[in-house]
């Protein structure tokens, strides 16, 4: 069964906090997530805004924006039914607009993965999560030890004294090892992540496999070093 909704993490989290369980057999389509992915240039992703600007559905809410609990309590049952029914219809209408766009932009696989993660996030938000402090500290210690050793190994392979020196790293990569630079800054060729990824891609295309592996290690070190 496919569940369609807008900001489903919030809705599912509310159900979980109320003591309800979420069946594992359900699948999801969150129209807010889809809208953010398909319309990254937009600045407003509220349900009303998206539906009124992308579908032919007319306005169904007597008031704009989010309501507080006292606002809901002040409405009659018929008014609440119209509002909730309109919200449900709006999400379905958005689904028919956004589902084809997800496929059009080649986002099908990654969106499916995001929707599989969605109930897990809702569960964390609804019930909380436990943290194994001992395990986390052990992993941090292990990571620190690896960083110290890898820093020394990389500096030896690059023939430099400090890998955190962008100038030394750039000189070794681009002058000694003949990596292809991506862009130049005021102090020399850049060694940021984008430039290293570019240099690795060029090394792979030139069959400079040793250089490609070395740049991969630099990227891995940079992503874990604190």
């Amino acid at each position: 069964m496919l569940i369609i909704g807008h900001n489903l993490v919030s809705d599912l989290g509310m159900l979980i906090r109320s003591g309800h369980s979420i069946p594992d057999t359900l699948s999801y389509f969150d129209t807010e997530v889809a809208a953010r992915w398909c319309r990254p240039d937009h600045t407003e992703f509220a349900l009303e805004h998206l539906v009124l600007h992308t579908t032919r559905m007319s306005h169904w809410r007597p008031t704009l924006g989010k309501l507080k609990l006292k606002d809901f309590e002040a409405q009659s049952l018929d008014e609440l039914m119209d509002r909730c029914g309109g919200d449900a219809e709006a999400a379905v209408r958005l689904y028919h607009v956004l589902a084809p766009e997800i496929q059009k932009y080649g986002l099908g696989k990654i969106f499916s993965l995001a929707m599989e993660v969605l109930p897990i996030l809702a569960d964390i938000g609804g019930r909380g999560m436990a943290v194994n402090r001992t395990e986390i500290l052990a992993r941090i210690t292990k990571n620190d030890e690896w960083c110290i050793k890898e820093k020394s190994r990389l500096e030896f392979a690059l023939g430099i004294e400090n890998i955190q020196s962008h100038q030394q790293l750039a000189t070794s990569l681009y002058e000694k090892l003949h990596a292809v630079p991506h862009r130049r800054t005021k102090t020399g060729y850049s060694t940021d992540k984008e430039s290293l990824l570019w240099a690795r891609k060029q090394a792979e295309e030139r069959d400079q496999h040793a250089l490609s592996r070395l740049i991969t290690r630099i990227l891995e070190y940079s992503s874990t070093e604190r």
Side-chain angles (χ1 to χ4, degrees):
M1 179 184 293
L2 176 64
I3 303 299
I4 300 169
H6 201 73
N7 190 15
L8 280 171
V9 167
S10 176
D11 295 337
L12 294 176
M14 180 177 62
L15 287 174
I16 292 170
R17 286 192 296 274
S18 300
H20 300 282
S21 60
I22 307 300
D24 296 332
T25 55
L26 300 177
S27 57
Y28 305 91
F29 190 99
D30 192 315
T31 52
E32 181 180 9
V33 175
R36 290 182 181 276
W37 288 20
C38 295
R39 316 285 174 82
D41 56 326
H42 284 206
T43 57
E44 177 59 62
F45 297 95
L47 180 62
E48 289 172 296
H49 176 86
L50 289 170
V51 170
L52 296 176
H53 285 78
T54 60
T55 76
R56 295 182 178 180
M57 184 174 180
S58 59
H59 202 283
W60 71 97
R61 292 181 175 181
T63 58
L64 293 172
K66 295 182 179 180
L67 297 181
K68 296 181 179 180
L69 180 59
K70 63 178 182 180
D71 299 319
F72 281 104
E73 292 176 343
Q75 295 186 32
S76 67
L77 182 60
D78 287 340
E79 289 174 329
L80 287 174
M81 289 176 61
D82 288 341
R83 182 185 178 93
C84 294
D87 286 358
E89 180 185 348
V92 172
R93 285 182 180 244
L94 268 184
Y95 165 77
H96 288 295
V97 172
L98 295 171
E101 291 187 11
I102 287 290
Q103 300 303 321
K104 174 184 176 181
Y105 297 128
L107 299 171
K109 289 184 178 180
I110 189 66
F111 186 79
S112 295
L113 179 60
M115 293 301 99
E116 290 178 12
V117 174
L118 188 146
I120 299 174
L121 298 176
D123 194 45
I124 293 173
R127 297 191 302 171
M129 58 183 291
V131 176
N132 188 327
R133 185 172 182 272
T134 302
E135 178 68 16
I136 289 177
L137 291 175
R139 287 180 178 271
I140 291 174
T141 300
K142 184 177 181 181
N143 180 71
D144 288 345
E145 292 174 351
W146 178 86
C147 282
I148 292 171
K149 292 179 181 179
E150 184 66 356
K151 180 177 185 292
S152 179
R153 290 190 290 257
L154 285 171
E155 287 169 348
F156 178 79
L158 291 162
I160 60 178
E161 296 180 355
N162 184 9
I163 194 173
Q164 293 175 335
S165 167
H166 297 297
Q167 187 174 4
Q168 290 184 31
L169 180 58
T171 299
S172 179
L173 280 177
Y174 303 126
E175 295 183 15
K176 295 180 181 179
L177 299 176
H178 306 293
V180 180
H182 181 44
R183 62 170 175 264
R184 193 179 185 90
T185 65
K186 293 180 179 179
T187 58
Y189 288 117
S190 173
T191 58
D192 62 7
K193 182 178 180 180
E194 182 180 343
S195 298
L196 291 175
L197 289 170
W198 168 263
R200 184 176 66 176
K201 180 176 183 296
Q202 299 304 311
E204 292 171 353
E205 293 180 353
R206 294 179 166 202
D207 294 328
Q208 295 173 300
H209 303 301
L211 176 59
S212 174
R213 288 193 294 270
L214 180 60
I215 296 174
T216 296
R217 288 175 55 195
I218 295 171
L219 286 163
E220 291 174 349
Y221 170 79
S222 299
S223 67
T224 57
E225 190 273 332
R226 293 179 293 113

